[in-house]
């Protein structure tokens, strides 16, 4: 089993920045894909970004490309999501997730096997 714990959420003004962390523990794998998603109330879970744990390849959803950056620290078993120029409509619960295996930029939440509990991000106008 893999446990994921997100942190770093909070309240930020529109145009501001926030950095999220996702710490992985339990059984770890040399090859995996880590992803970030968000879900607003009453809406579907939306893909934001993914990173290959081994090689560091990245992939971004169109809505965040150029504003969000995903990166990982192997020594800390942690993945980060740096979010800049945040908008009020991006208020949501943000989740990290992972699946084991060769790097693949999966955008479908169903592809991911393990999920964190989520962290709330609120962007005020």
């Amino acid at each position: 089993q893999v446990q994921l714990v997100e942190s770093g959420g909070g309240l930020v003004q529109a145009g501001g920045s926030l950095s999220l962390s996702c710490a992985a523990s339990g059984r770890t794998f040399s090859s995996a894909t880590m992803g970030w998603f968000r879900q607003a109330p009453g809406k579907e879970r939306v893909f934001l970004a993914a990173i290959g744990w081994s090689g560091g390849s990245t992939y971004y959803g169109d809505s965040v490309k150029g504003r969000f950056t995903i990166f990982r620290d192997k020594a800390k078993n942690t993945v980060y999501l740096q979010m800049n120029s945040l908008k009020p409509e991006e208020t949501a619960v943000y989740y990290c997730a992972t699946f084991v295996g060769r790097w693949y930029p999966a955008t479908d939440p169903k592809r991911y096997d393990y999920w964190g509990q989520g962290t709330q991000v609120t962007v005020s106008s």
Side-chain angles (χ1 to χ4, degrees):
Q1 288 293 327
V2 176
Q3 292 81 43
L4 302 175
V5 179
E6 301 97 334
S7 61
L11 176 65
V12 63
Q13 287 189 332
S17 299
L18 209 56
S19 183
L20 304 181
S21 301
C22 174
S25 62
R27 187 179 179 189
T28 56
F29 301 89
S30 60
S31 184
T33 295
M34 304 289 295
W36 282 98
F37 293 77
R38 67 182 174 214
Q39 187 168 21
K43 296 190 176 181
E44 292 186 351
R45 199 161 290 192
V46 175
F47 170 79
L48 301 176
I51 187 167
W53 185 254
S54 178
S57 298
T58 58
Y59 184 76
Y60 294 92
D62 288 341
S63 64
V64 304
K65 204 173 294 183
R67 297 187 298 120
F68 289 15
T69 302
I70 186 172
F71 56 101
R72 88 272 193 246
D73 185 332
K74 284 186 169 182
K76 296 182 178 179
N77 277 341
T78 300
V79 175
Y80 303 90
L81 186 68
Q82 175 64 39
M83 306 184 294
N84 299 327
S85 302
L86 284 161
K87 307 170 185 178
E89 56 266 36
E90 296 181 304
T91 293
V93 177
Y94 283 65
Y95 298 90
C96 70
T98 187
F99 63 89
V100 177
R102 187 171 57 93
W103 153 248
Y104 180 77
T107 62
D108 186 347
K110 298 184 182 69
R111 184 63 181 86
Y112 292 79
D113 298 317
Y114 302 98
W115 291 82
Q117 83 289 350
T119 185
Q120 176 71 43
V121 172
T122 302
V123 185
S124 63
S125 56

